[in-house]
Amino acid sequence: MVVPSKKVFNGKRNDSKKSFKPTKKPFKKTKDDVVSRSEAMQLEEVPDFPRGGGTSLSKQEREKIYEEVDAEFDAEERVSKKSKGGKSKKRITSDVDDLGLLFGGGLTGKRPRYANKITIKNISPEMKLLGVITEVNQKDIVVSLPGGLRGLVRASEASDFEDIGIEDDENELLGDIFSVGQLVPCIVLQVDDDKKEAGKRKIWLSLRLSLLHKGFSLDSFQLGMVFTANVKSVEDHGYILHFGLPSVTGFIEISNDGNQESGKKTGQLIQGVVTKIDRERKIVHLSSDPDSVAKCVTKDLNGMSFDLLIPGMMVNARVQSVLENGILLDFLTYFNGTVDLFHLQNPLSNKSWKDEYNQNKTVNARIMFMDPSSRAVGLTLNPHLVSNKAPPLHVSSGGIFDEAKVVRVDKSGLLLELPSKPASTPAYVSTYDFAGDEVKKLETKFKEGNRIRVRVLGLKQMEGLAIGTLKASAFEGPVFTHSDVKPGMVTKATVISVDTFGAIVQFPGGLKAMCPLRHMSEFEIMKPRKKFKVGAELVFRVLGCKSKRITVTYKKTLVKSKLPILSSYTDASEGLVTHGWITKIEKNGCFVRFYNGVQGFVPRFDLGLEPGSDPNSVFHVGEVVKCRVTSAYHGSRKINLSFMIKQSSVSEDDSIKLGSIVSGVIDSISPQAVIVRVKSKGVLKGTISAEHLADHHEQAKLMKSHLRPGYELDKLLVLDIEGNNLALSSKFSLVKLAEELPSELSQLQPNSVVHGYVCNLIENGCFVRFLGRLTGFAPRSKAIDEPRADLSESFFVGQSVRANIADVNQEKSRITLSLKQSSCASVDASFVQEYFLTDEKISNLQSSDITESECSWVEKLSIGSLIKGTIQELNELGVMVNFDNINNVLGFIPQYHMGGATLEHGSVVHAVVLDLSREERLVDLSLRPELINKSTKEVSNSQSKKKRKRDISKELEVHQRVTAVVEIVKEQYLVLSIPEHGYTIGYASVSDYNTQKLPVKQFSTGQSVVASVEALQSPLTSGRLLLLLDSVSGVSETSRTKRAKKKSSCEVGSVVQAEITEIKPFELRVNFGHGFRGRIHITEVDDGSTNEEPFAKFRVGQSMSARVVAKPCNTDVKKSQLWELSVKPATLRDSSELNDMQLGEELEFVAGQCVSGYIYKVDKEWVWLAISRNVTARIFILDTALEARELEEFERRFPIGKAVSGYVLTYNKEKKTLRLVQRQLLVSSKTIANGGDNKTDKVDSTVDDDATLFIHEGDILGGRISKILPGVGGLRVQIGPYVFGRVHFTEINDSWVSNPLDGFREGQFVKCKVLEVSSSSKGTVQIELSLRASLDGMSSGYLLEEFNNNDNICKRYERIEDLSPNTGVQGYVKNTMSKGCFITLSRTLDAKVLLSNLCDTFIKDPEKEFPVGKLVTGRVLNVEPLSKRIEVTLKTVNASGQTKSEAFDLKKFQVGDMISGKIRRVELYGLFIAIDQTGMVGLCHKSELSDDRIKDVQAIYKAGENVTAKILKLDEEKQRISLGMKNSYFINGDDVKPKSPSEKNDDEASMECDNNDFSFQETSGERPSGASLVLSQVESRASIRPLEVDLEDIEESDLDNNHNHEKLHGADKDEKSKRREKQKDKEEREIKIQAAEGRLLENHAPENADEFEKLVRSSPNSSFVWIKYMAFMLSLADIEKARSIAERALRTINIREEEEKLNIWVAYFNLENEHGSPPEEAVKKVFERALQYCDKKKVYLALLGVYERTEQYKLADKLLDEMIKKFKQSCKVWLRKVQSSLKQNEEDIQSIVNRALLCLPRHKHIKFISQTAILEFKCGVAERGRSLFEGVLREYPKRTDLWSVYLDQEIRLGEVDVIRSLFERAISLSLPPKKMKFLFKKYLEYEKSVDDEERVEYVKQRAMEYADSTLA
């Protein structure tokens, strides 16, 4: 063999890498030795720091940290200290070389001195090893290798299957298919060099079998070999395996005896012994029995190569020699390998271990590793590994054993026996782990059997070995292993390296930890190397230890802290004070971290900051802070903290609490808020945000600009208390109602209106806050009246709002609000009042520097007073006026208020003051005469000002409704005058709290408006009269005073005067009372029958008396203010009629009751009527008429508003909906019922009887053809919404026509008559209909008389008693077989026709000659009333019973006539020719075919050919015609060649033989010969199954039949009598034979259990037969027998017939669902069984179908929920869920769609969305379907299939404009020409279908333009 390159071995502590050769000189300890030793001791450690986690470090920095901390032992430090003082000594080179080499065989003739060992130096790619899994992580696997090495397997390398390890619901995770302790074969992919420490390397492995089995083929598999395979798929009877080879598949069968393991998962590694090899199909069968796998030894096979060796393979080996540290074995003839000292049979071998392995000793060994480059093999004799199990380890790292027993003393160390439980554990102590003096005296210091103290350093999993140490320092340190590390502990550590990311420190025990850069000092340091010196010993505190990675801190505050340590969320208790450090600073607070990753949050108000301060300017990240726990939520892992250690109340002033009113002085003003010093006993500060300075947004901004520090503010509301800081508000709306504002959930009452402010806006809604943290949420649908408006454009944060409490959920502490103006409108004038008060405040702020005399101008000008002024300027807008005694104040007179006066510059005027603006120092004036006169009278009056105000107050009262005129339109309010009250000036707001940002209604000067007086003039209103517009508030039902309540009261039953304001199609809108609005429904106008135009006598503005009949409906917001009124004369006369009407609405309607209503909607199927205010009705299209032409004009006959009457069929009390029909109903016991809910759609026309739909026999109905059934099935006709009937094939037409279905189409309206209503055994009802016009009631009188005169046309035999032998009948072929056919005579009678009676001549193919549906005419041969069997012959007989001989006379022919015909049949002896235009057949003998001799007639002539022949002979007695076709006959005319006697005999004989084929009757003379009789038997019974009847009986019966024929032709009566007696004796026998023959011909269903047994034996795999058998037993009420048949079927049907078995399971479901006890549990048991044998999804879908058919919707929904969890990646299941939800009219479809899209794979999204959209179009909301299509087309605009489906759905809806716009969008796309052609073609077809020629031309033009542009 080739000697590999030398690899120098360096001394290491790991025994797997040490020499056992005695040496006199110690090893030289170099730096490489130290590094290598440190690498070798990386025993089963976690590879790196865990993935993820927030950090600011780069990837390289993190890797550097991880590598430093990852070392487990302190070998490097300890060895390096020893190396400094010692001198290097030489070592024998050969020893070093031999120990580092891998020995691969004996080709060189040199035997190795040492056993092969895998080290970090000699491991190389493509090496195959056996390992044991020690860790299974989410994305990788850690594998322990021989020699204590560790390898990593990425998830992608764990299997050949790509989806293994991907975290998905349906793909297995690594933890599901791999387990810790599992032995696995692996191959080395690569060995990485670590950049940070030279020599430290990571080993990357692969478990992919395609790499392990590389080079294998089917020939590599031999019986008895053990192979590893992946489970590819799990089947019913076993597992399909994957070997990593493309052409070889494996299979493991799951046996019933339990020998084979079950429960494997896809991707799992499995070992098995080869039991069978199918080389044709390339399938290898394995057995996974653990005992067999563990004991199986690989046989010595010829041709075994090194590449076929697999790690883990067990071989029979022989000892070749004993080495220094192991033994050399040879195996499989050609190979040898070594076993090292730690893999011997006895892990605790003493010094005499070599004596146990004599040369040529045979042992069982397992391959540990193989090196393909050196062909070296390592073996193991470890008993656990040989048994195919990983060696157990009963100790852990860090364990201390005081009584460890010395087993063996080597030069390199000690082998110890640790007294662990349950079994002892071997341990090895290397010379590196002894004290210095002990190494020199090793053999003298330690003796075998001694007891010593040892501590476990690490573990070698594959060897089952512990690594120990005897050093005293290992027992002294507080931290030795990671388990000793506790968060918060203080310990000393030595700095070993410093970098930019932090420092690496080492504990005395050897563990390493990291001190991050932020934790190296209290403050940020720029040069960490100056702060920390390598080698310095410092004191640290442990922050945490996660995944064996330790983090420490050097912050002095933390290290010296005496406060409790917070290291888990459970330790956090309210009031706990501890140290932490800030990790993040945000606007609303800080995040503080503690030990072991625990984190808390400090809200802004608990930071202890001054109001308005920025937290970033006070704190910094990394700062150590002392904090107090205010609250802790252990379950949610949340901790709230405070930097204010002393928990104090807001102040000692108990008067300050939420909702209290305080005052204060402005301390400072920031951009966002105003800081106020609150006047209280303590020192308190409050914050007023800018939005809370006023209710009006613009005024709040203006006020903030005028505020200055030192100003005093009063009436401030305490909104929230945040520590020592108060959140205040100056909003008038909140201050005014401070006592009513809620601060707790219990204070809220549903439907109440509460003031609050907007605290946050999101896309889906608006958050409104009240006092404290009490917050409610207004969803988008409840926030604004306009659904499409943008919330951000409708509200702003801080806005004052009125909120209607919609719902309060105490359990979830949720408040749902409504902010709609319609439900939250103001009921007073506080909004405009606040505007004027704030305006006054702003004015006072502006004029604070002006003298008091200058500020008194407002007092000189009062609203409504006269003032003298001088005109200063005139312009287009108006006139500017100066006042003599008032400076810096201007007056303005608009054009509207000029009063028609002509004014000039400088002239003096006296004007009325309308309004004044304090801020702008502007006065609005008016010169209108009516206003001037009013003011003049008041001035001239001697009464005082107070008196005048009292007069006005007496005239105007609060809540009084007035009509006002707009005088001036301001931006925020209107200036109004009230003409009815002396033109008093008032003010009203144009907007409201909730509509500040919304567009306001536009008003114009002079406009008349309606308003209510809300506040009289007073200082609180700035001296103004305040009004509330109706347009802002709506009409309020409640008032604040008793007088208002009295005026606005209204009672049900009272008569009021109403004025019509609007006339709508179905109601009158009226105003009545004091501002009430109501409606008069169309049904509340007349008493009696409905009038065609009930509103014709009414007009807008008309006044009339009406009675209030109902209060407004509060559920409908839009109609919440409409009262219900009635003007019926009877109701107006007597209020008792009202009570009767109200009671009547509560009662149920009686079936058959006649009601009337008005049409308000018509669609394609229904007419919708309004019966009363609350009751509606509907009439189905087929219930509106009987005649087809009237049904076709359905929509035209029922215009909107028409009065229609009908009879009540059903009544839904909950929905208050009636179902009507327009035909009068009769009470009958023979009825069916359908409530309209059960949609039955079966061919047998069945409905459920659970309502009041009456259908009687004899009823004439309108119908619509829903389906044309195949064959002679007839028609399926719809006669109700979900009711169908069947029209028999014979009931379609009165006359017997060849194809009665001609002229009928699906969807056609027909008039039909009910013939029969019958119930089946299952409880369903069958309805038989007829379309025959001759029936009573189906046609007019003269047509009926015409039908009566022609009985034959309409003749139908309904009863078998009406038939007798020789009766002429007509019918249609129902079924044709080789033995005959069945014909249907009527809807109740069928008849059979035997093959011999089908035709006068022989028929070769009956099915071709008599197709299904063919009209035939025949006569009755036999009638059996008891068995209801009819036999008919179709042989030519006219209706009167005349024979063919009488009907067709041979006298019309003469000998010598030339005839033409068609060859009917070709025989050896001649041709049978059917003569044209007759029913007669003649024979042309082969001797008459040609003048020459013809050898083969069949080769020359074929059936069906047209020929010409000459009549040679006519035999009238025998009804025979002899023909000739010789050429000479046609040349010579009448010359007939004479026949010889022999030819004549031959002719007669042949005619005799074929008598039954062409003649009309048997001869009445001599009986046919024996040969003739036999031939006739063959012809007539050729295809009938032989019966157990003697031949004599057959012959005699045939003879009797012959005599029966003779009787018909006048045979002798005596002879007939003799035959009759014999016939009577055989009659019973013949009936049985005929019945059996009929059943065989008809393929009739078996009638007893024996016949069913025969049938199931003949068709054992037919589920149809088994189900029929079950149904038969159910019809006998034998439920248990039916169950046993189902069980038999499941056992009998072949396992491969999955669909057939599934059919049986479905039938079993139906059986238990109908007859189980209880049904639900019985079905569940069967269902669970079915899941074990069939495809689970199919079984679930089958059971779902059963539940849906039986309308068990709750069970169906429950099953669907289970299905979408189990099959969440199935598109079909999600579609069924959507369909079910749509059928049940559920609205939350979008949530289902969203869930489905999250679960389904992306490639199924398009299919799911498109199918869901189609379902929405069909049975949901079309608009949602459009949204789905639009969404998917935005992403895939070039998918023409999606466009096509979308267009089809829109075309089905029929909205022309939408369809055309969609087509235009489609053809505007940039698509390939082929796709564009498809779209243009579809567009053109649509336009043609709507018959729009212009649009057709338009589409063609567009197509041409596209073609031209494409060519260009």
Side-chain angles (χ1 to χ4, degrees), residues 1280-1553:
Y1282 315 113
V1283 183
F1284 297 84
R1286 186 182 67 127
V1287 179
H1288 194 267
F1289 203 70
T1290 60
E1291 296 293 336
I1292 297 174
N1293 204 308
D1294 278 297
S1295 303
W1296 293 98
V1297 295
S1298 59
N1299 189 1
L1301 292 176
D1302 283 346
F1304 291 97
R1305 70 182 187 283
E1306 293 184 2
Q1308 178 181 345
F1309 292 104
V1310 293
K1311 182 180 181 181
C1312 52
K1313 181 175 183 177
V1314 180
L1315 297 180
E1316 184 181 0
V1317 180
S1318 60
S1319 299
S1320 67
S1321 60
K1322 297 181 180 179
T1324 57
V1325 180
Q1326 297 179 347
I1327 306 172
E1328 294 289 341
L1329 305 173
S1330 177
L1331 304 184
R1332 292 167 56 198
S1334 62
L1335 299 179
D1336 294 339
M1338 290 290 287
S1339 61
S1340 57
Y1342 72 92
L1343 287 175
L1344 184 60
E1345 184 178 352
E1346 182 180 343
F1347 287 128
N1348 291 334
N1349 294 335
N1350 193 352
D1351 293 337
N1352 291 331
I1353 293 179
C1354 303
K1355 188 70 173 179
R1356 300 288 189 279
Y1357 294 100
E1358 300 289 342
R1359 300 185 306 154
I1360 195 171
E1361 291 80 6
D1362 297 337
L1363 292 174
S1364 60
N1366 293 326
T1367 303
V1369 291
Q1370 286 183 293
Y1372 297 99
V1373 176
K1374 185 178 182 181
N1375 188 17
T1376 305
M1377 296 166 291
S1378 58
K1379 302 173 185 179
C1381 73
F1382 284 88
I1383 62 174
T1384 178
L1385 305 179
S1386 66
R1387 65 182 183 87
T1388 58
L1389 295 179
D1390 290 342
K1392 68 176 179 180
V1393 182
L1394 296 177
L1395 182 65
S1396 57
N1397 292 326
L1398 279 179
C1399 187
D1400 298 309
T1401 59
F1402 176 76
I1403 297 176
K1404 188 173 183 180
D1405 188 358
E1407 294 182 5
K1408 184 178 180 181
E1409 294 291 333
F1410 290 89
V1412 174
K1414 180 179 180 180
L1415 176 64
V1416 296
T1417 304
R1419 59 187 175 89
V1420 178
L1421 285 181
N1422 190 20
V1423 180
E1424 299 178 11
L1426 294 178
S1427 60
K1428 294 185 179 181
R1429 300 191 182 278
I1430 306 168
E1431 185 176 352
V1432 170
T1433 180
L1434 303 184
K1435 289 186 176 179
T1436 309
V1437 176
N1438 60 13
S1440 60
Q1442 292 178 323
T1443 63
K1444 192 172 179 180
S1445 60
E1446 296 172 347
F1448 302 99
D1449 192 1
L1450 292 183
K1451 293 180 180 179
K1452 66 174 70 173
F1453 296 110
Q1454 294 181 1
V1455 175
D1457 288 348
M1458 296 296 180
I1459 57 96
S1460 61
K1462 184 178 291 185
I1463 298 176
R1464 174 68 63 85
R1465 197 168 78 248
V1466 181
E1467 298 292 347
L1468 295 174
Y1469 48 82
L1471 305 177
F1472 288 95
I1473 300 172
I1475 301 174
D1476 290 345
Q1477 299 179 354
T1478 67
M1480 293 179 282
V1481 179
L1483 174 66
C1484 181
H1485 195 269
K1486 66 178 181 180
S1487 61
E1488 297 295 335
L1489 289 174
S1490 175
D1491 294 315
D1492 301 325
R1493 182 176 179 83
I1494 297 177
K1495 293 183 179 179
D1496 189 357
V1497 178
Q1498 295 178 343
I1500 299 176
Y1501 298 98
K1502 302 295 181 183
E1505 291 182 4
N1506 293 319
V1507 295
T1508 303
K1510 183 177 182 179
I1511 298 176
L1512 301 180
K1513 182 180 178 182
L1514 295 171
D1515 189 343
E1516 293 185 9
E1517 182 179 354
K1518 296 183 179 181
Q1519 295 289 315
R1520 293 176 178 175
I1521 304 174
S1522 297
L1523 303 175
M1525 293 173 55
K1526 292 181 178 180
N1527 291 333
S1528 58
Y1529 294 156
F1530 304 105
I1531 297 173
N1532 300 328
D1534 293 338
D1535 241 359
V1536 180
K1537 181 177 180 181
K1539 286 187 176 182
S1540 62
S1542 61
E1543 287 177 344
K1544 183 177 179 181
N1545 292 337
D1546 289 341
D1547 185 17
E1548 292 176 355
S1550 58
M1551 293 280 283
E1552 191 80 22
C1553 290

Side-chain angles (χ1 to χ4, degrees), residues 1519-1737:
Q1519 295 289 315
R1520 293 176 178 175
I1521 304 174
S1522 297
L1523 303 175
M1525 293 173 55
K1526 292 181 178 180
N1527 291 333
S1528 58
Y1529 294 156
F1530 304 105
I1531 297 173
N1532 300 328
D1534 293 338
D1535 241 359
V1536 180
K1537 181 177 180 181
K1539 286 187 176 182
S1540 62
S1542 61
E1543 287 177 344
K1544 183 177 179 181
N1545 292 337
D1546 289 341
D1547 185 17
E1548 292 176 355
S1550 58
M1551 293 280 283
E1552 191 80 22
C1553 290
D1554 249 12
N1555 186 37
N1556 284 338
D1557 288 320
F1558 75 96
S1559 64
F1560 301 112
Q1561 64 178 34
E1562 291 286 355
T1563 355
S1564 58
E1566 297 179 357
R1567 185 168 296 145
S1569 63
S1572 175
L1573 179 62
V1574 173
L1575 184 61
S1576 64
Q1577 296 290 335
V1578 173
E1579 291 288 343
S1580 62
R1581 295 181 178 267
S1583 59
I1584 299 177
R1585 188 174 298 174
L1587 303 173
E1588 295 181 1
V1589 183
D1590 293 340
L1591 186 59
E1592 295 178 357
D1593 295 335
I1594 294 175
E1595 292 175 350
E1596 290 172 357
S1597 64
D1598 284 335
L1599 294 176
D1600 294 337
N1601 284 334
N1602 292 335
H1603 285 282
N1604 286 335
H1605 289 297
E1606 291 169 5
K1607 179 185 70 173
L1608 292 173
H1609 300 98
D1612 186 76
K1613 290 184 180 180
D1614 293 335
E1615 193 174 347
K1616 178 186 66 177
S1617 299
K1618 294 177 182 179
R1619 299 290 186 271
R1620 182 178 295 172
E1621 186 177 353
K1622 193 171 185 179
Q1623 177 70 20
K1624 191 174 182 180
D1625 295 337
K1626 306 295 183 182
E1627 187 174 30
E1628 186 176 352
R1629 179 74 167 174
E1630 288 295 325
I1631 290 174
K1632 293 180 180 179
I1633 293 174
Q1634 291 175 4
E1637 286 178 340
R1639 285 197 296 273
L1640 290 171
L1641 285 173
E1642 187 183 2
N1643 195 17
H1644 195 275
E1647 295 185 347
N1648 52 52
D1650 292 337
E1651 293 183 359
F1652 269 111
E1653 289 294 339
K1654 293 179 182 178
L1655 199 56
V1656 296
R1657 282 197 294 270
S1658 61
S1659 303
N1661 291 331
S1662 173
S1663 59
F1664 177 78
V1665 173
W1666 285 105
I1667 293 171
K1668 285 292 185 183
Y1669 196 0
M1670 292 170 63
F1672 173 74
M1673 285 303 170
L1674 287 177
S1675 66
L1676 300 179
D1678 195 346
I1679 309 300
E1680 290 303 324
K1681 184 64 176 176
R1683 286 194 180 100
S1684 65
I1685 293 170
E1687 296 291 347
R1688 273 183 61 198
L1690 294 173
R1691 292 194 302 268
T1692 305
I1693 296 177
N1694 192 292
I1695 193 172
R1696 297 184 182 277
E1697 302 291 341
E1698 294 182 0
E1699 293 298 328
E1700 300 295 324
K1701 277 205 168 187
L1702 182 60
N1703 292 339
I1704 299 296
W1705 284 115
V1706 175
Y1708 211 164
F1709 293 160
N1710 285 313
L1711 172 64
E1712 296 297 349
N1713 191 42
E1714 187 72 24
H1715 303 286
S1717 178
E1720 185 175 350
E1721 293 183 5
V1723 172
K1724 184 178 180 181
K1725 290 180 181 179
V1726 178
F1727 172 67
E1728 290 174 351
R1729 289 180 54 201
L1731 289 176
Q1732 300 175 7
Y1733 296 97
C1734 299
D1735 183 274
K1736 292 185 178 180
K1737 187 163 76 172

Side-chain angles (χ1 to χ4, degrees), residues 701-913:
K701 291 181 180 178
L702 188 60
M703 177 175 281
K704 184 173 178 296
S705 66
H706 291 297
L707 291 176
R708 298 289 183 271
Y711 285 7
E712 184 174 345
L713 298 177
D714 58 352
K715 293 185 179 179
L716 300 177
L717 174 69
V718 178
L719 286 179
D720 198 6
I721 301 174
E722 302 173 344
N724 286 329
N725 187 32
L726 305 179
L728 305 175
S729 176
S730 182
K731 289 179 179 286
F732 178 78
S733 61
L734 300 180
V735 173
K736 181 181 178 182
L737 300 174
E739 296 181 356
E740 300 179 12
L741 295 179
S743 60
E744 296 179 0
L745 200 68
S746 59
Q747 298 175 353
L748 293 174
Q749 297 297 328
N751 298 322
S752 62
V753 178
V754 185
H755 279 267
Y757 61 95
V758 177
C759 65
N760 192 15
L761 285 172
I762 60 175
E763 184 179 357
N764 296 327
C766 178
F767 291 92
V768 177
R769 183 163 292 175
F770 306 105
L771 289 182
R773 295 286 170 174
L774 186 63
T775 307
F777 180 68
R780 183 184 181 85
S781 60
K782 294 181 181 293
I784 42 182
D785 290 298
E786 178 57 43
R788 296 186 179 179
D790 188 359
L791 284 179
S792 61
E793 297 178 359
S794 304
F795 298 97
F796 59 87
V797 175
Q799 178 179 343
S800 304
V801 292
R802 286 170 55 85
N804 190 311
I805 310 299
D807 182 50
V808 179
N809 191 325
Q810 297 285 352
E811 296 178 358
K812 298 183 179 179
S813 299
R814 291 182 180 176
I815 308 169
T816 304
L817 307 175
S818 172
L819 301 182
K820 290 185 176 181
Q821 180 65 12
S822 55
S823 59
C824 303
S826 291
V827 294
D828 56 21
S830 61
F831 190 59
V832 70
Q833 180 183 0
E834 189 268 349
Y835 180 83
F836 291 122
L837 291 177
T838 307
D839 183 62
E840 188 174 342
K841 286 183 181 179
I842 296 173
S843 176
N844 294 334
L845 291 173
Q846 284 180 324
S847 58
S848 60
D849 298 332
I850 303 175
T851 61
E852 184 178 352
S853 60
E854 293 179 346
C855 297
S856 62
W857 68 272
V858 177
E859 298 178 359
K860 298 177 182 179
L861 300 175
S862 61
I863 303 299
S865 63
L866 277 174
I867 189 170
K868 179 181 177 182
T870 305
I871 296 175
Q872 180 184 5
E873 182 183 348
L874 290 85
N875 55 36
E876 296 179 354
L877 300 177
V879 177
M880 302 297 296
V881 177
N882 279 339
F883 304 108
D884 296 337
N885 56 349
I886 304 175
N887 298 325
N888 299 326
V889 178
L890 289 177
F892 178 70
I893 306 174
Q895 287 288 349
Y896 175 75
H897 287 279
M898 298 286 287
T902 303
L903 303 176
E904 296 179 356
H905 182 74
S907 60
V908 178
V909 293
H910 291 80
V912 177
V913 178

